[in-house]
Amino acid sequence: MPDLSLAAHKLLALMTLVALWWITEPLPLPVTALLGPTLAVVIGIVPASTAFSAFANPLIFLFMGGFMLATAMMHHHLDKRFAFWLLSRRWVGSNPKKILLAMGLATALCSGWVSNTATTAMMFPIALGLLGAIKEMFAAQGKMLDLHTSKYATGIMLMTAYAASIGGSLTPIGAPPNLIIVGFLSEMSHIYVSFFDWMVWGAVSTILYFIIAYVVLARMYPLEVSEIAGADEFIAARRQELGKWTRAQKNTLIAFIVAIVLWVTPGIMSIVLEPGSPMIKLYNRLFPEAVAALVGALALFLLPVNFKERQFTLSWKEAAKGIEWGTLLLFGGGLSMGTMMYATGLSTWFGTLIIDALGGNPSEVALIAVFAVMSLLMSELTSHTAATNMVGPLGITAAMAAGFNPVPVAVAIALASSLGFMLPVSTPPNAIVYASGYIPITKMIKTGVYIDIIGIACVTIPLAIYVVKWVIS
């Protein structure tokens, strides 16, 4: 390949190895992520300072701060308090469709701030409890309800998994692919995407995806009755068990609100003040997203629960257990490989190759569609984080090679990677709910195909083309 330098040739061989191991997983994904930059130094592609600099990227610390806040929310049951509050709303009542809707809303909104896996793990026992109450209600009326064959049980379980994946699109910290794409855009095209900017199109995609999922699940998996007697009492009893607000819960809420305010303030300032205002520049210099996350997270170690006994809202032992170190390493490794692809010219070569394969002059719509589908298919077969690490650099460089703004393609890749709805292995939420035994594999595949196709066609591609262009204009 005469168009490639020696370093690019070596990196292409290394990328092939890393990609294959990310897909087939002979080693844990984070270990393979570390193997990439390590071998890059050993075989002389880049020096160690370059290979491992991505692991100190500010986005790593944004993720770390987000993990600490999420850990405190789960440890002190603030997430359960919110979920049961939403489920106990008067408009929900005992209507099965409204219960399905409320379960999905609670899961999606939590998942925007807490990892998809943790959110599903929290909502899973709540869903099982609801289904148990429904079975008891049927038994009291002299009816039998086999949850293993019940359509509604399948729908509740699928909603729990799908809403967790959908809600991950809401914020940059909602799912690893979001921050990976933000990092690639920054490193490869020097485009800065703020927390507020992402939330604008993240909110739109979450709402639209959720509507699609709810309509599909409500139509495919209805309950035999229009009213579930006793469901509202069950939810009220679970909420009552949480008791009064504790000092730790109040402290966690304060720290969480501080982080959110710091994250969204630049976006509000950009609306109120003139573009390029000195105040906006000063704020962004003092409180970038990573610092805002750490301010909120560090407050958890400073706000006391019992000062006399030196008990604070979060201990380091608790925080260390809650931080997904493997995700941080996977993110750093993927960012390192993407940066090396850009530095050696390999990504430009790939971009030109893809453009030529698409006819030499593809439309922006075609480019977005190709990489959205590619990201979706990869995420169905492997980790959505690994899929984004592989597809992200290719999409960004292909867009740049075609003369397009890379943001729409990049956002389409991130959104599509969260649409792994077809198989238990596609996402951890799918695997968790599949373990209930209430979801036949054929039902998951059939439902996932519907939502994947509708989501790609009606949300991902149009949103990437129009909403993102409006945001960045």
Side-chain angles (χ1 to χ4, degrees):
M1 290 173 272
D3 294 335
L4 290 181
S5 64
L6 177 60
H9 270 92
K10 292 179 178 180
L11 184 59
L12 177 59
L14 180 56
M15 284 295 300
T16 304
L17 171 69
V18 170
L20 286 173
W21 282 18
W22 268 338
I23 294 171
T24 57
E25 292 192 58
L27 295 177
L29 295 179
V31 176
T32 302
L34 285 172
L35 182 67
T38 300
L39 288 180
V41 177
V42 172
I43 62 180
I45 299 175
V46 292
S49 58
T50 302
F52 294 102
S53 62
F55 291 90
N57 190 292
L59 293 176
I60 294 282
F61 297 93
L62 171 56
F63 240 148
M64 187 180 295
F67 283 144
M68 290 181 185
L69 289 167
T71 299
M73 291 177 66
M74 291 184 292
H75 183 72
H76 298 298
H77 305 300
L78 194 63
D79 49 358
K80 282 188 178 180
R81 188 173 287 279
F82 166 75
F84 282 124
W85 172 84
L86 185 57
L87 285 168
S88 63
R89 294 303 86 197
R90 187 173 298 176
W91 61 266
V92 178
S94 300
N95 186 291
K97 288 187 177 181
K98 291 181 179 179
I99 290 175
L100 179 70
L101 175 63
M103 278 290 297
L105 284 174
T107 305
L109 291 174
C110 283
S111 185
W113 308 96
V114 180
S115 80
N116 302 351
T117 306
T119 300
T120 309
M122 175 196 72
M123 297 300 295
F124 182 59
I126 297 175
L128 287 176
L130 277 172
L131 292 174
I134 293 171
K135 185 176 181 179
E136 291 176 6
M137 180 273 294
F138 270 71
Q141 297 178 356
K143 301 177 183 178
M144 290 295 294
L145 179 65
D146 184 357
L147 294 178
H148 291 277
T149 59
S150 168
K151 288 185 177 181
Y152 191 70
T154 301
I156 283 283
M157 287 294 144
L158 288 177
M159 174 59 86
T160 304
Y162 292 173
S165 296
I166 290 169
S169 302
L170 181 61
T171 68
I173 63 171
N178 303 350
L179 272 187
I180 290 171
I181 285 298
V182 170
F184 282 145
L185 285 171
S186 175
E187 295 290 333
M188 301 176 65
S189 56
H190 307 292
I191 294 176
Y192 168 72
V193 177
S194 71
F195 200 98
F196 183 84
D197 286 341
W198 186 280
M199 281 196 68
V200 171
W201 62 68
V204 174
S205 67
T206 298
I207 292 170
L208 295 178
Y209 278 134
F210 184 82
I211 292 173
I212 293 170
Y214 174 72
V215 170
V216 170
L217 292 173
R219 290 181 66 88
M220 290 183 66
Y221 305 106
L223 187 62
E224 292 82 351
V225 297
S226 60
E227 197 78 12
I228 306 174
D232 46 356
E233 288 86 352
F234 168 81
I235 294 168
R238 298 290 84 76
R239 187 184 179 192
Q240 190 69 26
E241 289 174 1
L242 294 174
K244 295 182 179 180
W245 279 73
T246 64
R247 170 52 57 188
Q249 289 174 342
K250 293 176 182 177
N251 290 347
T252 302
L253 183 61
I254 291 171
F256 185 60
I257 291 174
V258 166
I260 292 177
V261 169
L262 291 175
W263 278 328
V264 302
T265 294
I268 297 173
M269 291 175 68
S270 64
I271 296 173
V272 177
L273 303 175
E274 294 181 1
S277 167
M279 287 187 64
I280 297 177
K281 292 180 179 178
L282 176 63
Y283 186 92
N284 287 331
R285 187 168 70 250
L286 298 178
F287 294 103
E289 275 90 352
V291 172
L294 290 177
V295 167
L298 294 175
L300 297 168
F301 298 91
L302 299 172
L303 294 172
V305 174
N306 187 332
F307 189 73
K308 288 183 178 180
E309 298 182 10
R310 298 298 186 268
Q311 292 180 359
F312 296 87
T313 308
L314 191 67
S315 69
W316 176 249
K317 187 176 182 180
E318 294 162 350
K321 288 182 179 179
I323 296 173
E324 297 182 21
W325 300 103
T327 299
L328 295 181
L329 293 175
L330 186 55
F331 175 55
L335 196 58
S336 174
M337 299 301 287
T339 302
M340 286 189 286
M341 287 179 67
Y342 180 72
T344 60
L346 181 61
S347 60
T348 303
W349 178 79
F350 262 124
T352 304
L353 204 66
I354 294 170
I355 295 301
D356 291 341
L358 294 175
N361 188 28
S363 66
E364 189 171 21
V365 177
L367 202 63
I368 290 171
V370 166
F371 281 102
V373 172
M374 187 186 302
S375 178
L376 170 63
L377 293 177
M378 287 294 295
S379 66
E380 291 286 5
L381 300 174
T382 186
S383 156
H384 62 352
T385 306
T388 309
N389 277 331
M390 289 183 279
V391 181
L394 302 182
I396 291 172
T397 51
M400 294 170 66
F404 300 131
N405 189 310
V407 175
V409 174
V411 171
I413 291 171
L415 295 180
S417 70
S418 295
L419 291 180
F421 296 150
M422 289 174 56
L423 299 170
V425 298
S426 299
T427 63
N430 289 11
I432 290 172
V433 300
Y434 183 73
S436 67
Y438 299 156
I439 306 174
I441 185 65
T442 53
K443 296 293 185 182
M444 180 176 279
I445 293 173
K446 184 178 180 180
T447 311
V449 167
Y450 285 149
I451 300 177
D452 281 350
I453 293 175
I454 298 172
I456 287 285
C458 299
V459 181
T460 299
I461 296 173
L463 182 66
I465 296 170
Y466 298 109
V467 177
V468 178
K469 282 187 175 181
W470 174 76
V471 171
I472 65 176
S473 62

